[in-house]
Amino acid sequence: MIRLPGLIDPHVHLREPGATHKEDFDSGTAAALAGGFTAVLVMPNTQPPLTDEPSLKQAQAAAKSKARCDYGIFLGAGADNVATVSSLASQACGLKMYLDQTYGPLRLEGLAVLRDHIGNWPADRPVAVHAEGRSLAAALLIATLYERPLHVCHVSRKDEIALIRKTKEIGLPVTCEVTPHHLFLTEDDVPKLGAGRGEVRPRLATAADRDALWANLDVVDCFATDHAPHTRSEKDGEDPPPGFPGLETALGLLLTAVSEGRLTLDDLIIRSHTNPRRIFGLPEQHETFVEIDLDAVWEVRSSGMHTRCDWTPFEGMRLQGQVRRVTLRNKLAYADGEILVPPGYGKDLSSVTHQQIK
Ligand code: DOR
Ligand code: ZN
Ligand code: ZN
């Protein structure tokens, strides 16, 4: 048995408000605790998207009454909130910009709106982007010209990680994350998963892309699940939405890599605790830790999971290393399959951050 600090997942979709049949603050934060995460940063592509004060208040109220682990909430950059969203910056863990088509309506078209959002957002608050291929080059250039730090979500391809390495080499304040699914799956897994279940953005890439992520882990700041739950029937139906659940499998996958000597525990702690906390300016969670059985071998089964989506792309995989107990702010929050803290136990870390910054 070993102890890790409480893990932080900087990229999670909890679907509240608007699509709580997929997930809500209760089920999603239960899944987080079961996966060893004591804090999650949640994305704004909800229904409605979190782009203004009423929608942010709606998400804050749901989180306050339902979250079981700690959380921060991202605001979304839209075409219609360029002038207004920065007034809410102190209540959010960052601004999320979507430069490519994914799930939901929050895609930014054109250069001007991207420039204005980056220029208007407070320089000391994080900006995260979904930007693939040439969108990534555009986002990096604009952040550079406006001297803003930029966090690049779910880097998935060889040419993208090479571009980020180059950007870091010349000293620009760019950070990035990779997902377990891009580290452990490739496009060759799509036939086995089925076409609908295999849909995710960024798409599963080639084996060469996956290998490039592993080979460039030194420039990867964070692991992030991009937990994007859609129900099994939605994934198997007409017009399957893109996204994979990941909160309850990420740590097992990463610990398996540790057991195989492909990663060290320090590598994991830096990318799942130290760096997310630093990049998003999160306060320390006191008396918070995760107890792990490094020798336990287990088989991934969606049937025992806490997420509401009822499937996983890692079904049947044998993993080594399992979460036994999670203690959050001196309270036993999870033990051997059971969630032990009630909805409402989780705290909003965005506003605490703000108090510390002031
Ligand atoms: O596959 C994805 N699903 N990629 C995204 O960027 C959004 C996410 C979702 O919200 O379902
Ligand atoms: Zn994304
Ligand atoms: Zn996402």
Side-chain angles (χ1 to χ4, degrees):
M1 289 283 248
I2 57 152
R3 256 188 196 198
L4 301 179
L7 303 186
I8 301 166
D9 187 343
H11 190 148
V12 168
H13 299 265
L14 293 189
R15 310 304 188 200
E16 188 162 13
T20 52
H21 67 287
K22 298 174 195 271
E23 202 78 287
D24 68 0
F25 274 98
D26 180 350
S27 62
T29 54
L33 286 170
F37 296 100
T38 54
V40 291
L41 303 186
V42 305
M43 289 295 160
N45 62 335
T46 47
Q47 296 160 26
L50 309 182
T51 53
D52 57 13
E53 190 159 24
S55 54
L56 179 62
K57 289 241 168 316
Q58 210 181 336
Q60 284 170 334
K64 191 173 171 58
S65 64
K66 293 166 84 172
R68 297 173 190 257
C69 74
D70 294 347
Y71 56 89
I73 301 177
F74 275 97
L75 284 158
D80 53 357
N81 68 354
V82 175
T84 51
V85 72
S86 61
S87 69
L88 301 167
S90 65
Q91 298 181 59
C93 59
L95 179 71
K96 176 71 183 283
M97 302 193 303
Y98 290 89
L99 305 196
D100 301 295
Q101 189 54 53
T102 63
Y103 178 69
L106 273 181
R107 182 180 177 184
L108 294 178
E109 305 275 355
L111 213 47
V113 72
L114 168 60
R115 180 201 61 201
D116 291 346
H117 268 299
I118 287 191
N120 289 353
W121 188 250
D124 60 348
R125 304 292 296 146
V127 175
V129 279
H130 179 129
E132 305 180 43
R134 287 188 286 185
S135 300
L136 174 60
L140 289 173
L141 178 63
I142 293 187
T144 301
L145 295 177
Y146 283 80
E147 299 180 333
R148 293 295 203 271
L150 190 70
H151 180 73
V152 182
C153 297
H154 46 45
V155 179
S156 66
R157 298 192 197 101
K158 186 176 178 173
D159 51 356
E160 294 165 353
I161 197 73
L163 196 60
I164 287 171
R165 172 176 290 285
K166 194 78 195 153
T167 312
K168 286 188 168 201
E169 274 170 10
I170 59 173
L172 299 173
V174 59
T175 54
C176 73
E177 62 186 39
V178 297
T179 70
H181 53 269
H182 293 115
L183 286 170
F184 290 89
L185 300 175
T186 68
E187 59 188 11
D188 300 335
D189 293 297
V190 174
K192 275 177 277 169
L193 288 169
R197 295 201 191 189
E199 284 289 350
V200 67
R201 299 292 178 277
R203 291 173 199 281
L204 293 179
T206 65
D209 290 315
R210 176 203 56 197
D211 294 347
L213 298 182
W214 283 102
N216 290 281
L217 268 188
D218 59 321
V219 294
V220 172
D221 299 279
C222 306
F223 295 129
T225 64
D226 196 5
H227 179 80
H230 299 285
T231 65
R232 186 149 53 98
S233 60
E234 290 165 342
K235 293 294 279 181
D236 291 342
E238 298 272 308
D239 202 16
F244 292 168
L247 282 167
E248 288 165 274
T249 44
L251 185 54
L253 289 162
L254 294 167
L255 289 172
T256 301
V258 170
S259 75
E260 292 165 351
R262 307 167 73 198
L263 200 66
T264 67
L265 278 174
D266 268 356
D267 287 335
L268 197 163
I269 293 166
I270 287 166
R271 290 171 183 75
S272 294
H273 173 78
T274 320
N275 287 345
R277 210 186 130 200
R278 173 180 54 81
I279 293 165
F280 294 97
L282 304 174
E284 186 182 352
Q285 297 172 292
H286 294 283
E287 316 261 3
T288 295
F289 53 89
V290 180
E291 289 164 89
I292 303 288
D293 181 347
L294 278 180
D295 299 323
V297 174
W298 57 289
E299 209 165 279
V300 175
R301 291 276 168 244
S302 62
S303 53
M305 290 183 180
H306 296 80
T307 175
R308 206 161 274 165
C309 72
D310 198 27
W311 79 283
T312 163
F314 302 105
E315 185 77 31
M317 243 186 219
R318 283 174 74 78
L319 303 179
Q320 181 174 342
Q322 196 169 35
V323 180
R324 286 278 180 251
R325 291 147 63 95
V326 177
T327 298
L328 172 53
R329 288 183 274 102
N330 204 22
K331 202 167 163 78
L332 188 62
Y334 171 86
D336 294 316
E338 298 297 320
I339 305 292
L340 302 172
V341 284
Y345 184 69
K347 293 233 177 308
D348 187 343
L349 300 181
S350 328
S351 47
V352 177
T353 308
H354 178 55
Q355 284 158 18
Q356 288 193 339
I357 283 172
K358 274 208 291 198

